[in-house]
Amino acid sequence: MTSRQALPAGALTAWASYLRGHAALSRALNARLVAEHGLTLNDYEVLLLLSRAPDGYLKRVDLAQRVLLTPSGITRLLGGLESAGYVEKGSCPTDARVTYAVVTEVGLAKLAEATETHLADLEELFVTRFDESELALLAELLGRLAGDSEGEHCPGGARARNT
Amino acid sequence: MTSRQALPAGALTAWASYLRGHAALSRALNARLVAEHGLTLNDYEVLLLLSRAPDGYLKRVDLAQRVLLTPSGITRLLGGLESAGYVEKGSCPTDARVTYAVVTEVGLAKLAEATETHLADLEELFVTRFDESELALLAELLGRLAGDSEGEHCPGGARARNT
DNA sequence: AGGATATACTTGAGCAGGCAAAGAATGGTA
DNA sequence: TACCATTCTTTGCCTGCTCAAGTATATCCT
């Protein structure tokens, strides 16, 4: 790191307008997602994460870390997804403390359905302002602010708990 | 569900990490601001905006637009700042519908106090993670998300309403 | 073994902010 | 002048989340 200098002069202002821009963007995206599919941006994000996880399950703690919610936040969010039938609870045979979140078929279908319009929204609202390389760059830089972590997998697999 | 069209393959992921990055960043900043000064990031933003406005007052509507809150959001936010003594209501002699938000001396002092640590936080969070060129890049890209709007000023000035 | 400590998750209370509807003032327009 | 549409703001109700506690389970240390 070169000169241990203060932030550039307009930093406060730049940050402020960034904040505004972001608020507008994510609010719009969220609103559309809710209106068209009844999913929150975070709901969507969680579904996406689960769909990509091996075997479609993730520890609730890890999930929380990945979407940057507190444990209680995840509990409530998953509560919603569960009662909608998009995810189920799974238990780990080797550690009774952990509860997994497992995507259901219905959940995957919902995700696919939502993805279609969400990608379009994303393109319209966000991507029009940046080209591909800028987008990648932005993602990389901002991604650096949120530490990435791997989720551990349960040796015995997650067993869906049939209520 | 991969290739729909247009959007680059990793766009969804990129957007996701952008989201996370932003969440991490603003959450951290907000937490510090609250812990050290009892101000929300939005509180701070509003105070900053007011401090920069000519004569330190702004229509509530304009304020809402600038920080991207809904009118009701602004009402409640200002409610908090008012009861803390940082802003006052002002009425416009030519239009009885509008209420201005006016920073008080106390509010300005508070802003100055908060700015000190806020800038430091901003610096710490950015500078420790990015080198100078990345920082410049980031500022440029983020700045592009902004849309600026002007606020109108009251011809007669804002009269503070003394309760 | 048996307690201390740590980890995984849930629950209750509370807060910020959104949406929709209501209240209050203004500016046409006839 | 009376009326209607618009604009500015507030209020009620609701959601999404956080924080602080509380409950299990697991692990470590003597």
Side-chain angles (χ1 to χ4, degrees), chain A residues 118-129:
Chain A
H118 186 52
L119 275 180
D121 293 343
L122 218 40
E123 181 168 357
E124 180 190 335
L125 290 174
F126 190 83
V127 176
T128 56
R129 297 174 209 232

Side-chain angles (χ1 to χ4, degrees), chain B residues 91-148:
Chain B
S91 56
C92 178
T94 67
D95 187 340
R97 286 170 307 177
V98 332
T99 319
Y100 286 91
V102 193
V103 244
T104 63
E105 282 306 315
V106 184
L108 286 177
K110 187 71 184 179
L111 177 64
E113 175 199 321
T115 294
E116 213 155 310
T117 72
H118 187 52
L119 274 181
D121 292 343
L122 222 37
E123 180 169 355
E124 181 190 331
L125 286 175
F126 275 117
V127 171
T128 61
R129 288 180 169 79
F130 306 106
D131 67 32
E132 225 167 289
S133 65
E134 289 172 333
L135 208 58
L137 213 56
L138 208 46
E140 199 277 315
L141 291 179
L142 294 182
R144 219 183 289 172
L145 288 172
D148 259 324

Side-chain angles (χ1 to χ4, degrees), chain A residues 53-54 58-59 61-63 65-66 147-153:
Chain A
L58 243 29
K59 265 165 81 178
V61 175
D62 294 334
L63 214 37
Q65 237 171 306
R66 303 250 198 132
D148 255 327
S149 63
E150 278 302 305
E152 284 154 35
H153 229 59

Side-chain angles (χ1 to χ4, degrees), chain A residues 58-81:
Chain A
L58 243 29
K59 265 165 81 178
R60 288 163 104 90
V61 175
D62 294 334
L63 214 37
Q65 237 171 306
R66 303 250 198 132
V67 289
L68 279 169
L69 288 185
T70 58
S72 70
I74 273 291
T75 290
R76 298 187 215 272
L77 190 158
L78 286 177
L81 293 182

Side-chain angles (χ1 to χ4, degrees), chain A residues 25-74:
Chain A
L25 236 34
S26 57
R27 183 127 64 233
L29 243 10
N30 189 66
R32 292 195 191 193
L33 222 35
V34 169
E36 293 175 37
H37 306 284
L39 288 179
T40 292
L41 205 42
N42 275 341
D43 290 342
Y44 180 87
E45 218 59 48
V46 162
L47 245 24
L48 183 65
L49 243 24
L50 284 177
S51 79
R52 288 175 169 183
D55 300 318
Y57 69 91
L58 243 29
K59 265 165 81 178
R60 288 163 104 90
V61 175
D62 294 334
L63 214 37
Q65 237 171 306
R66 303 250 198 132
V67 289
L68 279 169
L69 288 185
T70 58
S72 70
I74 273 291

Side-chain angles (χ1 to χ4, degrees), chain A residues 83-151:
Chain A
S83 65
Y86 300 150
V87 311
E88 285 174 357
K89 289 189 175 181
S91 56
C92 177
T94 68
D95 187 339
R97 287 171 306 179
V98 333
T99 317
Y100 286 92
V102 193
V103 241
T104 63
E105 282 305 315
V106 184
L108 286 176
K110 188 69 184 180
L111 175 64
E113 175 199 322
T115 294
E116 212 153 315
T117 71
H118 186 52
L119 275 180
D121 293 343
L122 218 40
E123 181 168 357
E124 180 190 335
L125 290 174
F126 190 83
V127 176
T128 56
R129 297 174 209 232
F130 303 100
D131 69 32
E132 198 169 329
S133 64
E134 289 172 335
L135 187 64
L137 199 60
L138 202 49
E140 198 278 314
L141 292 180
L142 289 173
R144 220 183 285 171
L145 292 170
D148 255 327
S149 63
E150 278 302 305

